[in-house]
PDB file of all heavy atoms in Angstrom:
ATOM      1  N   LYS E 930       9.744  20.895  21.826  1.00 88.00           N
ATOM      2  CA  LYS E 930      10.493  19.852  21.028  1.00 88.00           C
ATOM      3  C   LYS E 930      11.368  19.098  22.051  1.00 88.00           C
ATOM      4  O   LYS E 930      11.926  19.629  23.037  1.00 88.00           O
ATOM      5  CB  LYS E 930      11.363  20.532  20.005  1.00 88.00           C
ATOM      6  CG  LYS E 930      12.100  19.617  19.112  1.00 88.00           C
ATOM      7  CD  LYS E 930      12.919  20.340  18.079  1.00 88.00           C
ATOM      8  CE  LYS E 930      13.638  19.353  17.177  1.00 88.00           C
ATOM      9  NZ  LYS E 930      14.487  20.054  16.124  1.00 88.00           N
ATOM     10  N   VAL E 931      11.561  17.819  21.775  1.00 88.00           N
ATOM     11  CA  VAL E 931      12.375  16.938  22.523  1.00 88.00           C
ATOM     12  C   VAL E 931      13.792  17.019  21.994  1.00 88.00           C
ATOM     13  O   VAL E 931      14.020  16.583  20.865  1.00 88.00           O
ATOM     14  CB  VAL E 931      11.902  15.476  22.586  1.00 88.00           C
ATOM     15  CG1 VAL E 931      12.830  14.589  23.320  1.00 88.00           C
ATOM     16  CG2 VAL E 931      10.422  15.414  23.092  1.00 88.00           C
ATOM     17  N   ASP E 932      14.683  17.609  22.734  1.00 84.00           N
ATOM     18  CA  ASP E 932      16.096  17.675  22.379  1.00 84.00           C
ATOM     19  C   ASP E 932      16.866  16.726  23.211  1.00 84.00           C
ATOM     20  O   ASP E 932      17.045  16.857  24.454  1.00 84.00           O
ATOM     21  CB  ASP E 932      16.569  19.089  22.636  1.00 84.00           C
ATOM     22  CG  ASP E 932      17.992  19.274  22.149  1.00 84.00           C
ATOM     23  OD1 ASP E 932      18.485  18.441  21.367  1.00 84.00           O
ATOM     24  OD2 ASP E 932      18.616  20.359  22.456  1.00 84.00           O
ATOM     25  N   LYS E 933      17.449  15.685  22.451  1.00 79.00           N
ATOM     26  CA  LYS E 933      18.103  14.622  23.209  1.00 79.00           C
ATOM     27  C   LYS E 933      17.097  13.784  24.011  1.00 79.00           C
ATOM     28  O   LYS E 933      16.264  13.082  23.490  1.00 79.00           O
ATOM     29  CB  LYS E 933      19.265  15.021  23.951  1.00 79.00           C
ATOM     30  CG  LYS E 933      20.380  15.675  23.048  1.00 79.00           C
ATOM     31  CD  LYS E 933      21.481  16.213  23.909  1.00 79.00           C
ATOM     32  CE  LYS E 933      22.582  16.908  23.004  1.00 79.00           C
ATOM     33  NZ  LYS E 933      23.714  17.404  23.760  1.00 79.00           N
ATOM     34  N   THR E 934      17.109  13.986  25.359  1.00 78.00           N
ATOM     35  CA  THR E 934      16.140  13.362  26.164  1.00 78.00           C
ATOM     36  C   THR E 934      15.356  14.340  27.047  1.00 78.00           C
ATOM     37  O   THR E 934      14.651  13.973  28.003  1.00 78.00           O
ATOM     38  CB  THR E 934      16.826  12.376  27.082  1.00 78.00           C
ATOM     39  OG1 THR E 934      17.845  12.998  27.830  1.00 78.00           O
ATOM     40  CG2 THR E 934      17.405  11.242  26.320  1.00 78.00           C
ATOM     41  N   GLU E 947      11.487  25.316  11.541  1.00 88.00           N
ATOM     42  CA  GLU E 947      10.840  23.960  11.565  1.00 88.00           C
ATOM     43  C   GLU E 947       9.717  23.913  10.443  1.00 88.00           C
ATOM     44  O   GLU E 947       9.645  22.899   9.740  1.00 88.00           O
ATOM     45  CB  GLU E 947      10.272  23.661  12.910  1.00 88.00           C
ATOM     46  CG  GLU E 947      11.382  23.452  14.023  1.00 88.00           C
ATOM     47  CD  GLU E 947      12.266  22.339  13.712  1.00 88.00           C
ATOM     48  OE1 GLU E 947      11.897  21.382  12.978  1.00 88.00           O
ATOM     49  OE2 GLU E 947      13.400  22.311  14.325  1.00 88.00           O
ATOM     50  N   LYS E 950      11.220  23.686   7.084  1.00 87.00           N
ATOM     51  CA  LYS E 950      11.831  22.316   6.761  1.00 87.00           C
ATOM     52  C   LYS E 950      10.718  21.400   6.291  1.00 87.00           C
ATOM     53  O   LYS E 950      10.976  20.642   5.328  1.00 87.00           O
ATOM     54  CB  LYS E 950      12.395  21.802   8.077  1.00 87.00           C
ATOM     55  CG  LYS E 950      13.172  20.465   7.944  1.00 87.00           C
ATOM     56  CD  LYS E 950      13.525  19.931   9.318  1.00 87.00           C
ATOM     57  CE  LYS E 950      14.543  20.835   9.968  1.00 87.00           C
ATOM     58  NZ  LYS E 950      14.965  20.141  11.296  1.00 87.00           N
ATOM     59  N   MET E 954      10.549  19.612   2.418  1.00 84.00           N
ATOM     60  CA  MET E 954      10.456  18.198   2.211  1.00 84.00           C
ATOM     61  C   MET E 954       9.255  17.890   1.290  1.00 84.00           C
ATOM     62  O   MET E 954       9.342  17.050   0.427  1.00 84.00           O
ATOM     63  CB  MET E 954      10.234  17.447   3.557  1.00 84.00           C
ATOM     64  CG  MET E 954      11.438  17.363   4.402  1.00 84.00           C
ATOM     65  SD  MET E 954      11.226  16.306   5.832  1.00 84.00           S
ATOM     66  CE  MET E 954      12.923  16.328   6.505  1.00 84.00           C
ATOM     67  N   VAL E 992       8.487  13.748  14.188  1.00 94.00           N
ATOM     68  CA  VAL E 992       8.742  12.485  13.446  1.00 94.00           C
ATOM     69  C   VAL E 992      10.252  12.442  13.093  1.00 94.00           C
ATOM     70  O   VAL E 992      10.802  13.462  12.658  1.00 94.00           O
ATOM     71  CB  VAL E 992       7.862  12.487  12.158  1.00 94.00           C
ATOM     72  CG1 VAL E 992       8.275  11.257  11.303  1.00 94.00           C
ATOM     73  CG2 VAL E 992       6.472  12.335  12.512  1.00 94.00           C
ATOM     74  N   SER E 993      10.791  11.208  13.230  1.00 93.00           N
ATOM     75  CA  SER E 993      12.168  10.914  12.800  1.00 93.00           C
ATOM     76  C   SER E 993      12.136   9.602  12.029  1.00 93.00           C
ATOM     77  O   SER E 993      11.349   8.783  12.278  1.00 93.00           O
ATOM     78  CB  SER E 993      13.211  10.886  13.895  1.00 93.00           C
ATOM     79  OG  SER E 993      13.178  12.199  14.600  1.00 93.00           O
ATOM     80  N   PHE E 994      13.156   9.439  11.226  1.00 93.00           N
ATOM     81  CA  PHE E 994      13.244   8.228  10.413  1.00 93.00           C
ATOM     82  C   PHE E 994      14.665   7.858  10.096  1.00 93.00           C
ATOM     83  O   PHE E 994      15.439   8.649   9.559  1.00 93.00           O
ATOM     84  CB  PHE E 994      12.493   8.402   9.067  1.00 93.00           C
ATOM     85  CG  PHE E 994      12.101   7.133   8.370  1.00 93.00           C
ATOM     86  CD1 PHE E 994      12.217   5.900   8.967  1.00 93.00           C
ATOM     87  CD2 PHE E 994      11.453   7.153   7.174  1.00 93.00           C
ATOM     88  CE1 PHE E 994      11.810   4.685   8.410  1.00 93.00           C
ATOM     89  CE2 PHE E 994      11.055   5.972   6.557  1.00 93.00           C
ATOM     90  CZ  PHE E 994      11.178   4.831   7.082  1.00 93.00           C
ATOM     91  N   VAL E 995      15.138   6.670  10.544  1.00 92.00           N
ATOM     92  CA  VAL E 995      16.555   6.196  10.354  1.00 92.00           C
ATOM     93  C   VAL E 995      16.490   4.849   9.799  1.00 92.00           C
ATOM     94  O   VAL E 995      15.545   4.075   9.833  1.00 92.00           O
ATOM     95  CB  VAL E 995      17.333   6.292  11.682  1.00 92.00           C
ATOM     96  CG1 VAL E 995      17.326   7.673  12.296  1.00 92.00           C
ATOM     97  CG2 VAL E 995      16.752   5.282  12.714  1.00 92.00           C
ATOM     98  N   VAL E1002      24.249   3.858  11.322  1.00 91.00           N
ATOM     99  CA  VAL E1002      23.028   4.451  11.376  1.00 91.00           C
ATOM    100  C   VAL E1002      23.011   5.685  10.423  1.00 91.00           C
ATOM    101  O   VAL E1002      23.911   6.552  10.435  1.00 91.00           O
ATOM    102  CB  VAL E1002      22.775   4.928  12.829  1.00 91.00           C
ATOM    103  CG1 VAL E1002      21.373   5.584  12.921  1.00 91.00           C
ATOM    104  CG2 VAL E1002      22.746   3.737  13.762  1.00 91.00           C
ATOM    105  N   PHE E1003      21.973   5.833   9.532  1.00 90.00           N
ATOM    106  CA  PHE E1003      21.887   6.877   8.625  1.00 90.00           C
ATOM    107  C   PHE E1003      20.452   7.570   8.812  1.00 90.00           C
ATOM    108  O   PHE E1003      19.427   6.889   9.035  1.00 90.00           O
ATOM    109  CB  PHE E1003      21.976   6.409   7.162  1.00 90.00           C
ATOM    110  CG  PHE E1003      23.298   5.801   6.824  1.00 90.00           C
ATOM    111  CD1 PHE E1003      23.474   4.487   6.752  1.00 90.00           C
ATOM    112  CD2 PHE E1003      24.353   6.633   6.593  1.00 90.00           C
ATOM    113  CE1 PHE E1003      24.713   3.897   6.463  1.00 90.00           C
ATOM    114  CE2 PHE E1003      25.626   6.095   6.323  1.00 90.00           C
ATOM    115  CZ  PHE E1003      25.788   4.696   6.236  1.00 90.00           C
ATOM    116  N   ASP E1004      20.504   8.870   8.599  1.00 90.00           N
ATOM    117  CA  ASP E1004      19.285   9.638   8.778  1.00 90.00           C
ATOM    118  C   ASP E1004      18.593   9.726   7.484  1.00 90.00           C
ATOM    119  O   ASP E1004      19.185  10.328   6.478  1.00 90.00           O
ATOM    120  CB  ASP E1004      19.697  11.105   9.310  1.00 90.00           C
ATOM    121  CG  ASP E1004      18.427  11.930   9.568  1.00 90.00           C
ATOM    122  OD1 ASP E1004      17.249  11.389   9.567  1.00 90.00           O
ATOM    123  OD2 ASP E1004      18.593  13.128   9.916  1.00 90.00           O
ATOM    124  N   LEU E1005      17.350   9.273   7.298  1.00 88.00           N
ATOM    125  CA  LEU E1005      16.639   9.316   6.097  1.00 88.00           C
ATOM    126  C   LEU E1005      15.899  10.639   5.851  1.00 88.00           C
ATOM    127  O   LEU E1005      15.377  10.797   4.746  1.00 88.00           O
ATOM    128  CB  LEU E1005      15.579   8.131   6.158  1.00 88.00           C
ATOM    129  CG  LEU E1005      16.144   6.727   6.124  1.00 88.00           C
ATOM    130  CD1 LEU E1005      15.047   5.724   6.130  1.00 88.00           C
ATOM    131  CD2 LEU E1005      17.073   6.472   4.946  1.00 88.00           C
ATOM    132  N   LEU E1006      15.864  11.461   6.861  1.00 87.00           N
ATOM    133  CA  LEU E1006      15.172  12.749   6.685  1.00 87.00           C
ATOM    134  C   LEU E1006      16.154  13.909   6.470  1.00 87.00           C
ATOM    135  O   LEU E1006      15.702  15.116   6.502  1.00 87.00           O
ATOM    136  CB  LEU E1006      14.269  13.053   7.862  1.00 87.00           C
ATOM    137  CG  LEU E1006      13.160  12.035   8.122  1.00 87.00           C
ATOM    138  CD1 LEU E1006      12.284  12.451   9.360  1.00 87.00           C
ATOM    139  CD2 LEU E1006      12.270  11.802   6.895  1.00 87.00           C
ATOM    140  N   GLY E1007      17.389  13.655   6.455  1.00 82.00           N
ATOM    141  CA  GLY E1007      18.400  14.697   6.196  1.00 82.00           C
ATOM    142  C   GLY E1007      18.288  15.255   4.774  1.00 82.00           C
ATOM    143  O   GLY E1007      17.953  14.529   3.838  1.00 82.00           O
ATOM    144  N   GLN E1008      18.670  16.517   4.590  1.00 72.00           N
ATOM    145  CA  GLN E1008      18.562  17.044   3.314  1.00 72.00           C
ATOM    146  C   GLN E1008      19.558  16.516   2.345  1.00 72.00           C
ATOM    147  O   GLN E1008      19.315  16.543   1.143  1.00 72.00           O
ATOM    148  CB  GLN E1008      18.850  18.638   3.449  1.00 72.00           C
ATOM    149  CG  GLN E1008      17.813  19.325   4.284  1.00 72.00           C
ATOM    150  CD  GLN E1008      16.445  19.331   3.662  1.00 72.00           C
ATOM    151  OE1 GLN E1008      16.205  19.220   2.423  1.00 72.00           O
ATOM    152  NE2 GLN E1008      15.369  19.388   4.456  1.00 72.00           N
ATOM    153  N   ASP E1009      20.687  15.955   2.898  1.00 69.00           N
ATOM    154  CA  ASP E1009      21.689  15.378   1.965  1.00 69.00           C
ATOM    155  C   ASP E1009      21.364  13.902   1.624  1.00 69.00           C
ATOM    156  O   ASP E1009      22.135  13.306   0.778  1.00 69.00           O
ATOM    157  CB  ASP E1009      23.042  15.428   2.603  1.00 69.00           C
ATOM    158  CG  ASP E1009      23.490  16.873   2.792  1.00 69.00           C
ATOM    159  OD1 ASP E1009      22.972  17.730   2.019  1.00 69.00           O
ATOM    160  OD2 ASP E1009      24.356  17.239   3.680  1.00 69.00           O
ATOM    161  N   SER E1010      20.376  13.339   2.305  1.00 61.00           N
ATOM    162  CA  SER E1010      20.218  11.870   2.117  1.00 61.00           C
ATOM    163  C   SER E1010      19.662  11.535   0.695  1.00 61.00           C
ATOM    164  O   SER E1010      19.944  10.597   0.123  1.00 61.00           O
ATOM    165  CB  SER E1010      19.194  11.365   3.182  1.00 61.00           C
ATOM    166  OG  SER E1010      17.955  12.066   2.996  1.00 61.00           O
ATOM    167  N   LYS E1016      26.227  10.430   5.925  1.00 85.00           N
ATOM    168  CA  LYS E1016      27.291  10.170   6.908  1.00 85.00           C
ATOM    169  C   LYS E1016      26.731   9.339   8.070  1.00 85.00           C
ATOM    170  O   LYS E1016      25.579   9.624   8.533  1.00 85.00           O
ATOM    171  CB  LYS E1016      27.831  11.502   7.409  1.00 85.00           C
ATOM    172  CG  LYS E1016      28.488  12.328   6.344  1.00 85.00           C
ATOM    173  CD  LYS E1016      29.024  13.647   6.908  1.00 85.00           C
ATOM    174  CE  LYS E1016      29.741  14.503   5.913  1.00 85.00           C
ATOM    175  NZ  LYS E1016      30.225  15.734   6.482  1.00 85.00           N
ATOM    176  N   PRO E1017      27.498   8.401   8.544  1.00 88.00           N
ATOM    177  CA  PRO E1017      27.084   7.671   9.662  1.00 88.00           C
ATOM    178  C   PRO E1017      26.889   8.542  10.889  1.00 88.00           C
ATOM    179  O   PRO E1017      27.572   9.511  11.132  1.00 88.00           O
ATOM    180  CB  PRO E1017      28.196   6.558   9.918  1.00 88.00           C
ATOM    181  CG  PRO E1017      28.845   6.538   8.575  1.00 88.00           C
ATOM    182  CD  PRO E1017      28.812   7.928   8.070  1.00 88.00           C
ATOM    183  N   MET E1018      25.854   8.184  11.707  1.00 89.00           N
ATOM    184  CA  MET E1018      25.569   8.982  12.941  1.00 89.00           C
ATOM    185  C   MET E1018      25.898   8.132  14.173  1.00 89.00           C
ATOM    186  O   MET E1018      25.944   6.912  14.171  1.00 89.00           O
ATOM    187  CB  MET E1018      24.047   9.343  12.953  1.00 89.00           C
ATOM    188  CG  MET E1018      23.572   9.969  11.652  1.00 89.00           C
ATOM    189  SD  MET E1018      21.919  10.666  11.726  1.00 89.00           S
ATOM    190  CE  MET E1018      22.261  12.118  12.698  1.00 89.00           C
ATOM    191  N   LYS E1019      26.073   8.906  15.271  1.00 91.00           N
ATOM    192  CA  LYS E1019      26.510   8.268  16.543  1.00 91.00           C
ATOM    193  C   LYS E1019      25.295   8.097  17.481  1.00 91.00           C
ATOM    194  O   LYS E1019      24.399   8.921  17.459  1.00 91.00           O
ATOM    195  CB  LYS E1019      27.632   9.139  17.188  1.00 91.00           C
ATOM    196  CG  LYS E1019      28.941   9.232  16.473  1.00 91.00           C
ATOM    197  CD  LYS E1019      29.889  10.068  17.310  1.00 91.00           C
ATOM    198  CE  LYS E1019      31.262  10.195  16.567  1.00 91.00           C
ATOM    199  NZ  LYS E1019      32.207  10.924  17.322  1.00 91.00           N
ATOM    200  N   ILE E1020      25.376   7.061  18.238  1.00 89.00           N
ATOM    201  CA  ILE E1020      24.271   6.755  19.143  1.00 89.00           C
ATOM    202  C   ILE E1020      24.846   7.017  20.601  1.00 89.00           C
ATOM    203  O   ILE E1020      25.943   6.537  20.938  1.00 89.00           O
ATOM    204  CB  ILE E1020      23.832   5.318  19.135  1.00 89.00           C
ATOM    205  CG1 ILE E1020      23.279   4.961  17.720  1.00 89.00           C
ATOM    206  CG2 ILE E1020      22.727   5.088  20.173  1.00 89.00           C
ATOM    207  CD1 ILE E1020      22.806   3.498  17.552  1.00 89.00           C
ATOM    208  N   LEU E1021      24.284   7.940  21.307  1.00 88.00           N
ATOM    209  CA  LEU E1021      24.723   8.333  22.579  1.00 88.00           C
ATOM    210  C   LEU E1021      23.674   7.908  23.711  1.00 88.00           C
ATOM    211  O   LEU E1021      22.551   7.495  23.286  1.00 88.00           O
ATOM    212  CB  LEU E1021      24.976   9.841  22.724  1.00 88.00           C
ATOM    213  CG  LEU E1021      26.027  10.383  21.716  1.00 88.00           C
ATOM    214  CD1 LEU E1021      26.108  11.907  21.828  1.00 88.00           C
ATOM    215  CD2 LEU E1021      27.318   9.777  21.808  1.00 88.00           C
ATOM    216  N   SER E1022      23.975   8.007  24.914  1.00 80.00           N
ATOM    217  CA  SER E1022      23.109   7.619  25.998  1.00 80.00           C
ATOM    218  C   SER E1022      23.103   8.647  27.074  1.00 80.00           C
ATOM    219  O   SER E1022      24.183   9.195  27.397  1.00 80.00           O
ATOM    220  CB  SER E1022      23.508   6.265  26.566  1.00 80.00           C
ATOM    221  OG  SER E1022      22.604   5.871  27.604  1.00 80.00           O
ATOM    222  N   ALA E1027      18.845   5.995  25.142  1.00 85.00           N
ATOM    223  CA  ALA E1027      19.723   6.115  23.975  1.00 85.00           C
ATOM    224  C   ALA E1027      19.005   7.103  22.995  1.00 85.00           C
ATOM    225  O   ALA E1027      17.835   7.194  22.889  1.00 85.00           O
ATOM    226  CB  ALA E1027      19.875   4.789  23.252  1.00 85.00           C
ATOM    227  N   TYR E1028      19.849   7.922  22.361  1.00 87.00           N
ATOM    228  CA  TYR E1028      19.400   8.879  21.344  1.00 87.00           C
ATOM    229  C   TYR E1028      20.489   8.985  20.242  1.00 87.00           C
ATOM    230  O   TYR E1028      21.677   8.678  20.488  1.00 87.00           O
ATOM    231  CB  TYR E1028      19.053  10.229  21.928  1.00 87.00           C
ATOM    232  CG  TYR E1028      20.212  10.930  22.510  1.00 87.00           C
ATOM    233  CD1 TYR E1028      20.926  11.894  21.798  1.00 87.00           C
ATOM    234  CD2 TYR E1028      20.577  10.697  23.863  1.00 87.00           C
ATOM    235  CE1 TYR E1028      22.038  12.590  22.371  1.00 87.00           C
ATOM    236  CE2 TYR E1028      21.694  11.434  24.476  1.00 87.00           C
ATOM    237  CZ  TYR E1028      22.366  12.362  23.643  1.00 87.00           C
ATOM    238  OH  TYR E1028      23.411  12.987  24.143  1.00 87.00           O
ATOM    239  N   ILE E1029      20.120   9.490  19.140  1.00 89.00           N
ATOM    240  CA  ILE E1029      21.007   9.640  17.996  1.00 89.00           C
ATOM    241  C   ILE E1029      21.467  11.095  17.977  1.00 89.00           C
ATOM    242  O   ILE E1029      20.634  11.986  17.970  1.00 89.00           O
ATOM    243  CB  ILE E1029      20.407   9.199  16.685  1.00 89.00           C
ATOM    244  CG1 ILE E1029      19.925   7.712  16.808  1.00 89.00           C
ATOM    245  CG2 ILE E1029      21.314   9.344  15.571  1.00 89.00           C
ATOM    246  CD1 ILE E1029      19.095   7.223  15.696  1.00 89.00           C
ATOM    247  N   LYS E1030      22.790  11.324  17.906  1.00 89.00           N
ATOM    248  CA  LYS E1030      23.291  12.696  17.838  1.00 89.00           C
ATOM    249  C   LYS E1030      22.946  13.304  16.454  1.00 89.00           C
ATOM    250  O   LYS E1030      23.153  12.712  15.401  1.00 89.00           O
ATOM    251  CB  LYS E1030      24.808  12.657  18.076  1.00 89.00           C
ATOM    252  CG  LYS E1030      25.415  14.038  18.149  1.00 89.00           C
ATOM    253  CD  LYS E1030      26.953  13.858  18.356  1.00 89.00           C
ATOM    254  CE  LYS E1030      27.546  15.296  18.418  1.00 89.00           C
ATOM    255  NZ  LYS E1030      29.066  15.161  18.595  1.00 89.00           N
ATOM    256  N   ASP E1031      22.475  14.560  16.527  1.00 87.00           N
ATOM    257  CA  ASP E1031      22.187  15.450  15.381  1.00 87.00           C
ATOM    258  C   ASP E1031      21.159  14.734  14.463  1.00 87.00           C
ATOM    259  O   ASP E1031      21.116  14.827  13.208  1.00 87.00           O
ATOM    260  CB  ASP E1031      23.444  15.698  14.566  1.00 87.00           C
ATOM    261  CG  ASP E1031      24.476  16.524  15.324  1.00 87.00           C
ATOM    262  OD1 ASP E1031      24.000  17.283  16.264  1.00 87.00           O
ATOM    263  OD2 ASP E1031      25.635  16.334  15.222  1.00 87.00           O
ATOM    264  N   LEU E1032      20.174  14.060  15.069  1.00 89.00           N
ATOM    265  CA  LEU E1032      19.106  13.412  14.273  1.00 89.00           C
ATOM    266  C   LEU E1032      18.157  14.442  13.840  1.00 89.00           C
ATOM    267  O   LEU E1032      17.714  15.312  14.649  1.00 89.00           O
ATOM    268  CB  LEU E1032      18.457  12.251  15.021  1.00 89.00           C
ATOM    269  CG  LEU E1032      17.340  11.552  14.397  1.00 89.00           C
ATOM    270  CD1 LEU E1032      17.803  10.775  13.158  1.00 89.00           C
ATOM    271  CD2 LEU E1032      16.663  10.540  15.388  1.00 89.00           C
ATOM    272  N   SER E1033      17.658  14.286  12.655  1.00 89.00           N
ATOM    273  CA  SER E1033      16.597  15.276  12.069  1.00 89.00           C
ATOM    274  C   SER E1033      15.257  14.868  12.724  1.00 89.00           C
ATOM    275  O   SER E1033      14.833  13.744  12.609  1.00 89.00           O
ATOM    276  CB  SER E1033      16.448  15.234  10.546  1.00 89.00           C
ATOM    277  OG  SER E1033      17.730  15.580  10.007  1.00 89.00           O
ATOM    278  N   CYS E1034      14.678  15.842  13.364  1.00 91.00           N
ATOM    279  CA  CYS E1034      13.312  15.599  14.044  1.00 91.00           C
ATOM    280  C   CYS E1034      12.392  16.701  13.397  1.00 91.00           C
ATOM    281  O   CYS E1034      12.552  17.907  13.646  1.00 91.00           O
ATOM    282  CB  CYS E1034      13.427  15.805  15.510  1.00 91.00           C
ATOM    283  SG  CYS E1034      11.981  15.222  16.383  1.00 91.00           S
ATOM    284  N   VAL E1035      11.440  16.216  12.631  1.00 92.00           N
ATOM    285  CA  VAL E1035      10.552  17.160  11.820  1.00 92.00           C
ATOM    286  C   VAL E1035       9.216  17.270  12.475  1.00 92.00           C
ATOM    287  O   VAL E1035       8.623  16.222  12.930  1.00 92.00           O
ATOM    288  CB  VAL E1035      10.489  16.660  10.345  1.00 92.00           C
ATOM    289  CG1 VAL E1035       9.637  17.641   9.531  1.00 92.00           C
ATOM    290  CG2 VAL E1035      11.822  16.364   9.729  1.00 92.00           C
ATOM    291  N   PHE E1073      10.314   6.835  14.117  1.00 94.00           N
ATOM    292  CA  PHE E1073      10.096   7.405  15.425  1.00 94.00           C
ATOM    293  C   PHE E1073       8.922   8.414  15.346  1.00 94.00           C
ATOM    294  O   PHE E1073       8.967   9.294  14.470  1.00 94.00           O
ATOM    295  CB  PHE E1073      11.293   8.161  16.093  1.00 94.00           C
ATOM    296  CG  PHE E1073      12.515   7.203  16.205  1.00 94.00           C
ATOM    297  CD1 PHE E1073      13.409   7.098  15.212  1.00 94.00           C
ATOM    298  CD2 PHE E1073      12.728   6.538  17.423  1.00 94.00           C
ATOM    299  CE1 PHE E1073      14.515   6.283  15.357  1.00 94.00           C
ATOM    300  CE2 PHE E1073      13.761   5.742  17.611  1.00 94.00           C
ATOM    301  CZ  PHE E1073      14.702   5.582  16.629  1.00 94.00           C
ATOM    302  N   LEU E1155      19.297   1.082  20.019  1.00 90.00           N
ATOM    303  CA  LEU E1155      18.248   2.062  19.850  1.00 90.00           C
ATOM    304  C   LEU E1155      16.967   1.579  20.501  1.00 90.00           C
ATOM    305  O   LEU E1155      16.137   2.318  20.948  1.00 90.00           O
ATOM    306  CB  LEU E1155      17.955   2.313  18.400  1.00 90.00           C
ATOM    307  CG  LEU E1155      19.012   3.047  17.653  1.00 90.00           C
ATOM    308  CD1 LEU E1155      18.712   3.111  16.170  1.00 90.00           C
ATOM    309  CD2 LEU E1155      19.154   4.439  18.176  1.00 90.00           C
TER     310      LEU E1155
END
Side-chain angles (χ1 to χ4, degrees):
K930 183 178 181 180
V931 178
D932 186 12
K933 297 178 182 178
T934 57
E947 296 295 339
K950 188 187 297 184
M954 284 189 177
V992 171
S993 302
F994 200 6
V995 300
V1002 181
F1003 296 102
D1004 186 6
L1005 296 180
L1006 300 183
Q1008 297 295 334
D1009 297 335
S1010 62
K1016 296 181 180 179
M1018 309 189 73
K1019 294 183 180 180
I1020 301 177
L1021 304 178
S1022 181
Y1028 65 93
I1029 302 174
K1030 184 181 179 181
D1031 299 331
L1032 177 64
S1033 299
C1034 194
V1035 185
F1073 299 88
L1155 290 177

